[in-house]
């Protein structure tokens, strides 16, 4: 599921397309609610990215739901762990049968991985072949929507994208368990991004 990692790289480019907005306050982004995209076309996708910076590791976890390829609401995740000068990657991909989510409710369950909000915290229960773990993010301050709502990318308003950073800064704690290795304690700072598009991402720029 390489596409799951497209969202972070798109953020800055889309912000440049939107033009400068000096001094304009962005509204609070209480974003992350699942939206059903079944039957809405090939280009629909939505993703959640959780990033963590610890004293001796960097962690990026991406969850993606997309209509790319055969069928609707295909889903998957990628985990990238950088530690001790080594980068390791785990991925998992599923059909819509492994997706559990309710439109309008926060978060999503992909296979055995679940992202949800509880008691003001963001929780991630992670599983992919070879790795499992739990993370808890305690947000500090407000998140924001980059554009205050949908960003239309053409005059006909036929291509729409929404990008937000629901968690700009958070204290993170948790644990990773890699097959045949000792558990790794996770402690540091992190955040979360959310994106939604109704067109193929390579058509954005």
């Amino acid at each position: 599921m390489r596409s799951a990692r497209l969202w972070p790289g798109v953020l800055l480019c889309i912000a440049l397309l939107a033009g400068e907005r000096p001094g304009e306050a962005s509204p609070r982004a209480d974003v992350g609610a699942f939206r059903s995209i079944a039957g809405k076309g090939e280009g629909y996708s939505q993703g959640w990215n959780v990033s963590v910076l610890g004293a001796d590791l960097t962690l990026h976890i991406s969850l993606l739901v997309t209509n790319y390829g055969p069928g609707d609401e295909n889903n998957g995740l990628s985990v990238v762990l950088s530690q001790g000068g080594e980068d390791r990657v785990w991925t998992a991909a599923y059909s819509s049968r492994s997706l559990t989510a309710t439109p309008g409710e926060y978060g999503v369950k992909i296979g055995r991985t679940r992202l949800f909000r509880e008691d003001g915290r963001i929780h991630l229960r992670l599983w992919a072949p070879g790795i499992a773990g739990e993370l808890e993010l305690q947000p500090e301050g407000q998140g924001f929507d980059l554009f205050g709502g949908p960003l239309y990318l053409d005059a006909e308003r036929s291509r729409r994208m929404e990008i937000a950073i629901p968690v700009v800064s958070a204290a993170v704690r948790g644990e990773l368990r890699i097959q045949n290795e000792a558990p790794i304690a996770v402690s540091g700072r992190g955040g979360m991004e959310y994106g939604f598009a109704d067109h193929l991402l390579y058509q954005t720029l």
Side-chain angles (χ1 to χ4, degrees), residues 6-203:
L6 289 175
W7 288 110
V10 166
L11 286 172
L12 179 58
C13 296
I14 299 302
L16 293 174
L17 282 175
E20 295 183 1
R21 299 187 179 188
E24 180 176 330
S26 296
R28 178 187 176 95
D30 186 17
V31 207
F34 172 76
R35 310 182 199 185
S36 176
I37 60 175
K40 294 185 177 180
E42 178 79 4
Y44 275 81
S45 61
Q46 60 192 311
W48 299 257
N49 289 299
V50 175
S51 299
V52 180
L53 178 62
D56 60 349
L57 61 80
T58 303
L59 180 64
H60 299 284
I61 301 169
S62 298
L63 310 179
L64 180 70
V65 181
T66 179
N67 284 352
Y68 293 176
D72 285 347
E73 295 190 332
N74 302 309
N75 54 94
L77 65 140
S78 66
V79 182
V80 181
L81 174 64
S82 300
Q83 186 181 36
E86 180 185 10
D87 296 332
R88 292 190 280 178
V89 180
W90 297 263
T91 63
Y94 305 98
S95 70
S96 60
R97 290 176 296 180
S98 296
L99 175 67
T100 304
T102 301
E105 291 189 3
Y106 193 94
V108 66
K109 185 173 183 287
I110 292 175
R112 292 164 58 182
T113 295
R114 183 184 176 208
L115 174 71
F116 63 100
R117 181 173 56 190
E118 186 176 81
D119 298 328
R121 296 177 173 86
I122 307 298
H123 298 268
L124 181 62
R125 304 286 185 259
L126 169 68
W127 187 91
I131 189 170
E134 299 83 29
L135 295 176
E136 178 185 280
L137 285 73
Q138 176 62 67
E140 299 173 358
Q142 295 184 342
F144 64 93
D145 188 318
L146 267 67
F147 311 114
L151 173 67
Y152 293 96
L153 302 173
D154 56 10
E156 294 76 23
R157 299 168 73 90
S158 63
R159 294 191 297 139
R160 175 171 59 98
M161 174 173 275
E162 298 179 37
I163 301 177
I165 306 179
V167 182
V168 176
S169 179
V172 183
R173 64 180 183 180
E175 182 180 87
L176 296 177
R177 295 178 296 280
I178 299 172
Q179 189 173 9
N180 301 322
E181 298 184 18
I184 300 173
V186 178
S187 179
R189 308 293 304 174
M192 186 176 77
E193 303 159 355
Y194 173 78
F196 177 89
D198 63 0
H199 61 281
L200 295 170
L201 287 177
Y202 69 80
Q203 298 175 344

